[in-house]
Amino acid sequence: MQLRNVSPDDVDAYVRMRCDPVMMADLGGPLPLEGMADKVRWDAQEAAADLAWLKMIVPDLARPDVVAGTVTIWSHDTDDGPVSEIGWMVLPEFQGQGLGRRAVRVLLEQARHQERWGLLHAFPSTSNAASNGICRSVGFRFLSEVAVTFAGRVLKTNHWVIDPGRDLT
Ligand SMILES: CC(C)(COP(=O)(O)OP(=O)(O)OC[C@H]1O[C@@H](n2cnc3c(N)ncnc32)[C@H](O)[C@@H]1OP(=O)(O)O)[C@@H](O)C(=O)NCCC(=O)NCCS
């Protein structure tokens, strides 16, 4: 398994992840198809400029064109100052094989060697057993349940946090 930056050619994978009702069930439902190509182009620029870590999961190095999902770290401003967040998605045909957990661990390994991100926060939906399982198994600490707005929708989430330099298991 390998992680690489998102590229403008990843539109199909983005559409399969973000515009699909099953994939987006815990994230408030599918996003509209319109604007997805622009979103991928924007993300590819952000990744190339190293403004965020927007990674595609490549499960088999012998087939670099096949992607299994994404894992991303980005920083955003809140009323309490900047916060670093990590998120992930794995396409249905690759789920349940430990790929999500491994991809998250690989990116956290990279983060632990840099001062840049500090504490990393994750906000999986309270009903997303696999995502909460990933948090638990790589060493996140559970803080509380919290309502989070994602793409204009309010989600009931679990707030997890990890210091990748100290907590990664
Ligand atoms: C959530 C998601 C990323 C999990 O990826 P995955 O590669 O299937 O997960 P893994 O196989 O690495 O499993 C992760 C952990 O969850 C557990 N798990 C997996 N599927 C599960 C399920 N359906 N119910 C309960 N636990 C589950 C695994 O046993 C593992 O725990 P362990 O490390 O203690 O063994 C993937 O299912 C997905 O993208 N779903 C749709 C989109 C989404 O929900 N994104 C996340 C938003 S926060």
Side-chain angles (χ1 to χ4, degrees):
M1 194 273 299
Q2 194 176 51
L3 302 181
R4 65 154 172 82
N5 278 354
V6 61
S7 91
D9 296 331
D10 288 316
V11 178
D12 281 355
Y14 263 54
V15 167
R16 289 194 60 213
M17 288 186 274
R18 292 162 184 247
C19 306
D20 181 90
V22 176
M23 284 294 290
M24 295 294 289
D26 283 326
L27 292 166
L31 299 177
L33 195 57
E34 303 81 61
M36 206 43 69
D38 287 342
K39 168 71 178 156
V40 177
R41 255 194 308 276
W42 172 265
D43 280 2
Q45 283 172 12
E46 292 261 300
D50 198 30
L51 296 174
W53 288 357
L54 304 164
K55 303 293 182 182
M56 305 304 288
I57 304 167
V58 178
D60 181 356
L61 303 195
R63 299 184 62 198
D65 51 316
V66 177
V67 295
T70 59
V71 56
T72 66
I73 294 178
W74 71 103
S75 182
H76 55 93
D77 289 324
T78 71
D79 293 342
D80 302 322
V83 164
S84 299
E85 192 169 333
I86 181 166
W88 46 77
M89 290 187 116
V90 172
L91 285 163
E93 65 270 30
F94 294 102
Q95 290 175 8
Q97 304 168 27
L99 256 185
R101 184 185 58 228
R102 274 159 53 210
V104 168
R105 195 187 296 275
V106 166
L107 203 58
L108 290 172
E109 287 280 356
Q110 293 174 17
R112 88 191 301 176
H113 299 299
Q114 300 205 3
E115 296 285 308
R116 146 173 206 189
W117 299 111
L119 295 178
L120 283 161
H121 300 259
F123 298 92
S125 163
T126 54
S127 57
N128 192 320
S131 275
N132 285 290
I134 288 175
C135 289
R136 205 170 291 114
S137 77
V138 302
F140 282 81
R141 279 178 291 122
F142 174 75
L143 294 184
S144 64
E145 279 191 22
V146 61
V148 163
T149 303
F150 172 78
R153 300 112 176 223
V154 179
L155 309 175
K156 197 174 155 196
T157 71
N158 286 329
H159 183 185
W160 297 84
V161 68
I162 190 167
D163 176 346
R166 297 176 49 178
D167 303 332
L168 196 55
T169 56

